[in-house]
Each structure stands twice: as C-alpha cells, then as structure tokens.
Amino acid sequence: MNPRLLLATAGRVLAQLRHDHRTIGLLVGVPTLLMTLLWWIYDGGGVFDQAGPPLLGIFPMVIMFLITSVTMLRERTTGTLERLMTMPIRRADLVLGYAVALGFAALLQTAVVATFSIWALDLQVAGPEWMLLLISVLSAVLGVTMGLAASSLARTEFQAVQFMPALLFPQFLLCGLLVPRDQMPAAAEAISDVLPLSYAVDAVKEVAVAPDPTIWPEVLVIGAFIIGLLALGILSLRRRSA
Amino acid sequence: MFHRMMNQSAAVVVDRLTVVRGTTTALREVSLALEPATLTGLLGPSGAGKTTLMRAIVGVQRLTSGTVTVLAHPAGAPVLRDRVGYVTQDPSAYADLTVRQNLRYFARVLGAPAADVDRVIGQVELDGQADQVVQTLSGGERSRVSLAAALLGDPQLLVLDEPTVGLDPVLRRDLWALFRSLADTGATLLVSSHVMDEATRCDRLLLLRGGGLLADGTLAELQAQTGQSDPEQVFLHLIDHGIGGAA
C-alpha cells in the first residue's frame, strides 16, 4: 500500500464529485427531504422517534451504494482503469482511495442529515446523539463498500443500478425494521444474522431506547463487514483481463 | 510466413503468442521483435488482433500461450509500470476533470515530476484547453489528452492504439513528427493505424490479418514483395493475396 497514491486517488475522486454540483445537492438534499417526509407522515412524535433513527442510516446507505457502484463502474468502462493497470499503482491504493473519498462524502452527508433531523425535526433518542451519528456514518460507509464490491459483478451502469434492489432490499426486509428479528421464521432470522444492515439496525434501536446503550459489539461486526467488503473490492480488480 | 531473427537487445520480443477469447482466436502464434529507438506501424483490418497484441505488450491481456518480453522483463512486470506508456483505442481520461487535473493525477501515479504536466500539454498542443473539463472537448482533443497522459514520465516504450483517429491532417502531421522525434531520442514506439499514408512515416510495418502476422518489414521491402508502390495498394495486395502472392 502506498499512502501517497491512495490520497492522490481520493483527491481525484473528490475533485470529480466537486465538478458535479447537482450530485452534491442530491447527495445531501434527498435524505434530508426523505427524513422530513417521514416526520410529516408520522406527525413527529413517538413513531417518528422509532422509525427515524434506523432510516437515518439506511437512506444514506442506499444513496452511497448507488453512487459508488456507478462511479467505480465508470472507471472500469471508460478505459481509465485499463490505463491505471499499466501504471505503478496497487489495486488496494485505487480501491481504498475510492473508499476514503466516498466515505468522506458519506460523512458530510450523514452529518447534515443527522443534524437536521435532531435539531429541526426534533428527533429524540434515549442514548447519546453522537452514537446515532456514528452508526449512521458506518451504515453509509457500508453502502460505499458494498458498492465497490458489487461494481465488479456489473458490466454496465444499467446492471449496476439493478444491484441496488437485488442486494439492499433483502437486507432491508430482514434487518428487523418491519418485523423484529426474533419474531421471524428461524431460517429468515439465521439469514439476517449474516447481513450487515441487521447489526446497524440493532445498534441504532439500542441507542433509540436505552439511555446508556452498548453498541460496541455491533460496531465491531459492522467494521469487520466493511473490511471484508473492501478486500472483496480489491481482489475483484484484475490487472489482466480476457 | 516472414520470420525475423529474435534479437537479445530488442525492446519488445513476442514469441509464439496465442490469445483465445471465448471461441475466437484473437492472435495465433504471433512472433515479432521491436528494435529499440524505432517507430513501428501496426496495420491490419478491423478485428485483425491489433488491440489484443498491444494489450499483451502493455501487460493487461490474459495470454493463452507464448511469451511477451518488454525491456528484458515479462510484459506487465511491476518494474515496467513507469517505463511503458499506453494509449487505449477509446480516449481514456476522466470526463469530469480538466485536462490539467487528469494529467496531474496520472503524473502522481507515475511518480513523474510536476513539470511534466505542462511539457506533455505542449507536446500535444493543448495549451489553450489545459483548464477545460474533458467532457467539453472535441473527440480529437480528447484523444490528445489520452496521448499526453502516455507521454508523462518519458516512457521507454510507447504503445499507441490509433492515436491519430479523428484528427485533422495538420495535427496528424505534427503528431507523427512528435513520434519521430521521440524515436530519434531513444524511445521505442508501436503505433496502430488505419490510415495507410501514415505507413510511410514508420521505420517498419507489421501487418496483422485474422490474428496472424501477415507481413513484417520496411515499406520498401513490402513494396518490392508485392510489386505495388502506393501504400494503400501494398496493404490491399497483402490482405488479398498474402506475402507469397506477389505479382
């Protein structure tokens, strides 16, 4: 690994994002609008305080997944990846450079949405608010790493977009938001045990109800998923292709 | 089949290279050598295997059999990665960055000096567009951004896949003069082209057809073998009759 090349790549990806003002607007604006809608349909109050915290992580996760898989796929399909593969850059520097840049974007996005939800929409959690922010950022970073890994499965942007419902919707259905995980059929609960979103939702539910929540086991599992997905993203890049 | 002695000092040696992709054979038992500090033209109809051969030389093509040796190392070896410049057929640059931002990034990846960015912008005559976003450039300008990136860091071997497509005659003349001066100062160049009059600017020509090497020699040699004087006619004669079909 070469930190200089990793940072050069991260800087380049952020420069690309900076040139795209509309994407930056959508990145921050869409989840903020969705949280406002949620507050509006529940008329604020108790139900909003239950449904809001998990969605504070899920909305950014979905958006970051889409943005990441499409940006990474663009690198693969426009010849720039082939050029880079003839140059002295390691695959890890490239993938981690993307992860750092888009993780930074995820951090800014989640910070804005969380601040808005807590201060403007009066989202109430029993535990500390910084824990809510931490898990939301981790969820968004999870979306980034899932996007990096998934982009190798897609050949076109059209396919990449369809991996969103294929990979994220099952996690959404099984994460315990619609039906508590311990009330699901045993097989469904077992599947939910190996999906990263389940741990993010477990942790965030804990923060919502417990004044002194313990979230570190979940945070560790999410961290392990992030590292594993990054490794998958790195290994799926090939210097030589058919 | 035209054979050439393999030279120990050659910049590139391709030995019985075969590449099979799915059910099609992209290259069949191709052997050739490129002398250092020469400008070689790679010709052949579409689908002849030109791009596959170039990808094999820069080390991004999976090989079925045979070997490719570049500057005394196996093609694609880590030590070669700052010594080989490659221009892909479709211009490869980040469309949402400026010309200068693109080149600055590639220069950092190569470990090339920052001053190289301005040098290569000048070499491809993009001084006026340096701070323009690549998306807003014309097709010919984009392919020159791609070429500029390959010139960063003074590579010893330059593999250029149709670098002059879509350029006007004046620019084409200027770029071929640049290729010539790079070869004269010690770089080895392999340039693919569809335009036959560009063949006259090369030290040597390779002609691929259907994945096989059909001809390998100077333009004068090929003219003598085919009995044709016009490069276009030499090319068509070789495609239609092969090297043995000389009138």
Side-chain angles (χ1 to χ4, degrees), chain A residues 15-127:
Chain A
Q16 286 177 276
L17 266 184
R18 257 204 315 276
H19 278 276
D20 188 352
H21 297 140
R22 193 173 298 183
T23 287
I24 295 177
L26 289 168
L27 205 63
V28 175
V30 170
T32 308
L33 182 74
L34 291 174
M35 288 305 288
T36 310
L37 273 177
L38 189 73
W39 168 85
W40 191 35
I41 59 173
Y42 283 133
D43 201 16
V47 189
F48 176 65
D49 290 340
Q50 273 175 24
L55 291 172
L56 197 57
I58 291 173
F59 290 147
M61 183 180 83
V62 173
I63 294 167
M64 291 315 296
F65 175 87
L66 279 176
I67 286 187
T68 306
S69 42
V70 171
T71 349
M72 192 66 202
L73 197 78
R74 223 178 261 172
E75 179 93 59
R76 287 175 195 262
T77 54
T78 55
T80 49
L81 181 67
E82 178 149 295
R83 179 192 286 285
L84 286 173
M85 290 294 97
T86 69
M87 290 185 167
I89 184 168
R90 285 177 190 277
R91 295 175 300 165
D93 296 328
L94 185 64
V95 172
L96 296 179
Y98 264 95
V100 166
L102 295 167
F104 179 70
L107 176 71
L108 287 185
Q109 175 195 44
T110 316
V112 170
V113 184
T115 309
F116 179 81
S117 301
I118 292 165
W119 298 108
L121 302 179
D122 195 29
L123 181 69
Q124 305 263 356
V125 287

Side-chain angles (χ1 to χ4, degrees), chain A residues 4-5 8-9 12 15-16 19 74-75 78-80 82-89 94 239-242, chain B residues 21 55 58-62 75 81 86 88 91-94 96-97 101 105-106 108-110 146 149-150:
Chain A
R4 193 178 55 83
L5 295 187
T9 302
R12 186 262 294 169
Q16 286 177 276
H19 278 276
R74 223 178 261 172
E75 179 93 59
T78 55
T80 49
E82 178 149 295
R83 179 192 286 285
L84 286 173
M85 290 294 97
T86 69
M87 290 185 167
I89 184 168
L94 185 64
R239 238 174 234 282
R240 285 178 190 268
S241 52
Chain B
R21 192 182 292 118
R55 293 184 74 238
V58 299
V60 296
Q61 173 67 50
R62 210 172 287 152
R81 289 190 191 136
Y86 175 39
T88 52
S92 54
Y94 300 103
D96 39 12
L97 295 181
Q101 283 174 323
Y105 173 62
F106 289 126
R108 288 174 77 183
V109 170
L110 284 165
S146 203

